[in-house]
Amino acid sequence: MTVERVIVGISGASGAAIAVRIVERLASMPDVETHLVVSDAARRTLDLEHGAGAIGHLRPLVHEHHPSADVGASIASGSFPVRGMVVAPCSMQTLSSIATGRADTLLTRAADVQLKERRRLVLLARETPLHLGHLRSMCAVTEMGAIVMPPVPAFYHRPRTVDEIVDHLAARAIDLLALPCGPIALPWLGQ
């Protein structure tokens, strides 16, 4: 049995529920080892949107929770093999830092490592509306090999609750990592 390592980065944009669900879904996969890094701004957003103590909910679900300031952590090195990384949500500040190679936090350093090692990097870019700087940063990271996945819900499966929308977005983000377990999101089957 091969264990797949996945990094989940959470930045300070709105959409904490998606990050929480990604971690929960990965925790249910026995062959996945999840590493978590949360920006300082994300801690505030998690508490606001998910409730006080949200980090306490996530810690037991991951293999390791890395402090945001620890740029010497294992996930900051290309010699630490991982399947890929998801940043959910990905604030425009974080996206801009990744696009320009500004690796001054563990979250942006780990993302930078994914790009330099040609590994999967999925960015759930969370902002609306977008100005030209946002679009240029999205273009730049895409040209470097990242996958920009704005958390735009699909309605073909007729979700009835916000939880169903969040679950589908989380599953789609995980699927973009191309884990050996195969797709987990509900597919479009045609009419």
Side-chain angles (χ1 to χ4, degrees):
M1 167 175 67
T2 302
V3 173
E4 299 288 347
R5 288 185 182 132
V6 173
I7 302 167
V8 176
I10 306 175
S11 73
S14 184
I18 300 167
V20 170
R21 192 63 185 126
I22 288 170
V23 170
E24 291 170 346
R25 293 290 299 256
L26 290 170
S28 72
M29 299 175 175
D31 299 337
V32 174
E33 177 183 298
T34 306
H35 291 257
L36 178 66
V37 59
V38 181
S39 75
D40 292 338
R43 287 178 178 279
R44 291 182 68 182
T45 306
L46 277 163
D47 284 347
L48 176 69
E49 295 183 358
H50 194 266
I55 294 291
H57 169 72
L58 295 175
R59 277 192 181 123
L61 300 176
V62 300
H63 176 77
E64 192 164 350
H65 174 232
H66 302 274
S68 179
D70 186 7
V71 294
S74 58
I75 61 173
S77 174
S79 66
F80 187 73
V82 300
R83 175 62 121 181
M85 179 176 182
V86 176
V87 181
C90 184
S91 69
M92 289 300 117
Q93 178 180 341
T94 299
L95 177 71
S96 175
S97 292
I98 295 167
T100 59
R102 185 171 174 218
D104 60 344
T105 69
L106 181 57
L107 195 156
T108 55
R109 172 63 187 160
D112 191 68
V113 167
Q114 302 318 296
L115 294 173
K116 79 179 187 72
E117 298 293 330
R118 308 299 191 262
R119 297 176 184 152
R120 296 272 175 138
L121 175 61
V122 180
L123 306 174
L124 277 75
R126 184 45 205 96
E127 188 60 79
T128 190
L130 301 168
H131 63 62
L132 185 57
H134 299 149
L135 296 169
R136 285 189 174 147
S137 290
M138 288 182 194
C139 189
V141 296
T142 300
E143 289 171 340
M144 289 186 263
I147 300 168
V148 177
M149 181 196 150
V152 178
F155 294 99
Y156 57 81
H157 63 289
R158 296 190 176 160
R160 293 186 191 97
T161 66
V162 172
D163 283 344
E164 288 178 356
I165 293 170
V166 167
D167 191 60
H168 186 74
L169 289 168
R172 288 278 294 130
I174 292 167
D175 285 349
L176 288 172
L177 293 172
L179 293 168
C181 63
I184 58 174
L186 292 172
W188 167 253
L189 299 174
Q191 295 178 311

